[in-house]
């Protein structure tokens, strides 16, 4: 489990955050920072989606060797969510699929801060689906955010994952889960989808190309190279 990151408690703390430097051998995209967002909205986001501590044992966390090998629920920090979406250059033209959406913070942030057209999260735990829906209710009512309960070990049978409408896919997959979904991930990558991988990178999948990474934040963006004109 990744160490917890302290929750930002005030707008002044948010404004004082420094940019994180990103590097990649192929396509450096420069500096990314959450300080460019409205501090009041950031404070509300952090309050709505607080960072979890290791002592909160009521959460269905990942246990090595257990059956939850596809998409372990290891809650990510709200700050990492925003950094990852900015690294992926999310825009109002995008439709986002979050595979293993947890409490829904990626879907909410995609619409709230980047004005994405649509965001859907797939999650196995019904309690988390209910919680996600409640936290993002304003956008659920607008039909811009939706959460579905599904067993991701049966991902080949899920119409949502087979849809070709997604332009950005967020994955928090264990190495085993990534290997099982390799054909799907490579297929989506090849048709131009930007893939955000968190905590577990996808370097073992030979058909993918990492365009930008932040090892400190454990975020990798996989995007197909644009052919030279």
């Amino acid at each position: 489990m990744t160490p917890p990151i302290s929750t930002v408690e005030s707008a002044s703390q948010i404004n004082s955050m420094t940019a994180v430097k990103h590097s990649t051998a192929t396509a450096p995209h420069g500096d990314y920072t959450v300080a460019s967002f409205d501090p009041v909205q950031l404070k509300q986001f952090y309050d709505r989606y607080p960072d979890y501590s290791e002592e909160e044992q009521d959460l269905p966390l990942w246990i090595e060797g257990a059956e939850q090998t596809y998409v372990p629920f290891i809650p990510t920090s709200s700050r990492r969510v925003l950094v990852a979406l900015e690294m992926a250059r999310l825009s109002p033209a995008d439709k986002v699929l979050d595979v293993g959406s947890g409490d829904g913070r990626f879907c909410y942030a995609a619409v709230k801060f980047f004005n994405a057209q649509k965001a859907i999260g797939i999650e196995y735990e019904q309690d988390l689906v209910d919680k996600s829906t409640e936290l993002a209710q304003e956008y659920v009512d607008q039909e811009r955010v939706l959460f579905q309960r599904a067993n991701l070990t049966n991902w080949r049978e899920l119409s949502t994952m087979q849809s070709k409408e997604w332009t950005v896919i967020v994955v928090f997959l264990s190495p085993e889960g990534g290997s099982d979904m390799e054909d799907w991930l490579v297929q989506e990558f090849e048709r131009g989808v930007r893939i955000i991988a968190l905590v577990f990178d996808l370097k073992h999948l030979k058909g993918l190309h990492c365009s930008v990474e932040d090892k400190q934040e454990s975020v990798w963006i996989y995007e197909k190279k644009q052919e030279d004109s």
Side-chain angles (χ1 to χ4, degrees):
M1 179 176 178
T2 54
I5 302 174
S6 299
T7 303
V8 177
E9 296 179 348
S10 68
S12 61
Q13 285 178 287
I14 295 168
N15 277 328
S16 68
M17 285 183 174
T18 57
V20 179
K21 192 75 175 178
H22 301 272
S23 63
T24 175
T26 54
H29 290 184
D31 292 335
Y32 298 90
T33 173
V34 301
S36 60
F37 297 108
D38 179 84
V40 175
Q41 291 186 348
L42 279 177
K43 176 62 166 57
Q44 292 171 347
F45 179 55
Y46 289 152
D47 287 345
R48 181 173 303 204
Y49 297 96
D51 296 337
Y52 295 107
S53 69
E54 294 186 17
E55 286 72 31
E56 295 184 73
Q57 299 297 325
D58 58 322
L59 296 171
L61 302 179
W62 183 49
I63 300 174
E64 182 120 20
E67 290 301 314
Q68 307 173 50
T69 54
Y70 275 61
V71 188
F73 180 49
I74 306 175
T76 194
S77 74
S78 295
R79 180 181 183 280
R80 179 190 281 157
V81 169
L82 296 174
V83 168
L85 292 174
E86 190 168 12
M87 286 172 64
R89 308 186 320 281
L90 205 71
S91 78
D94 285 313
K95 294 183 180 181
V96 180
L97 174 64
D98 187 359
V99 179
S101 53
D103 62 9
R105 59 185 64 195
F106 261 99
C107 292
Y108 180 88
V111 174
K112 177 72 173 180
F113 291 97
F114 297 87
N115 198 29
Q117 283 190 51
K118 180 180 181 181
I120 288 185
I122 301 176
E123 171 57 46
Y124 176 73
E125 296 285 342
Q126 185 62 53
D127 288 348
L128 287 172
V129 173
D130 294 341
K131 180 178 181 180
S132 301
T133 300
E134 178 183 354
L135 289 171
Q137 192 65 57
E138 60 189 288
Y139 296 121
V140 172
D141 290 344
Q142 297 175 21
E143 299 184 349
R144 295 181 65 192
V145 171
L146 178 66
F147 300 99
Q148 299 176 346
R149 183 187 182 281
N151 184 348
L152 285 165
T153 60
N154 299 324
W155 62 268
R156 295 171 182 83
E157 302 172 10
L158 301 179
S159 60
T160 300
M161 290 184 64
Q162 305 309 321
S163 172
K164 302 304 180 186
E165 65 179 312
W166 314 116
T167 59
V168 174
I169 293 174
V170 182
V171 294
F172 197 149
L173 295 170
S174 67
E176 294 86 352
S179 294
D180 186 66
M181 294 186 182
E182 180 173 6
D183 289 347
W184 174 69
L185 290 168
V186 172
Q187 172 184 286
E188 295 304 292
F189 171 84
E190 285 294 332
R191 71 178 187 86
V193 172
R194 306 191 302 282
I195 299 173
I196 302 173
L198 304 165
V199 179
F200 302 98
D201 65 34
L202 301 173
K203 63 184 179 182
H204 59 296
L205 306 186
K206 302 304 182 183
L208 301 183
H209 163 74
C210 181
S211 59
V212 61
E213 65 181 7
D214 182 341
K215 291 183 179 179
Q216 180 178 336
E217 293 283 348
S218 298
V219 177
W220 294 265
I221 309 298
Y222 295 85
E223 182 177 8
K224 189 175 182 180
K225 291 182 179 178
Q226 297 296 321
E227 299 294 337
D228 293 336
S229 55

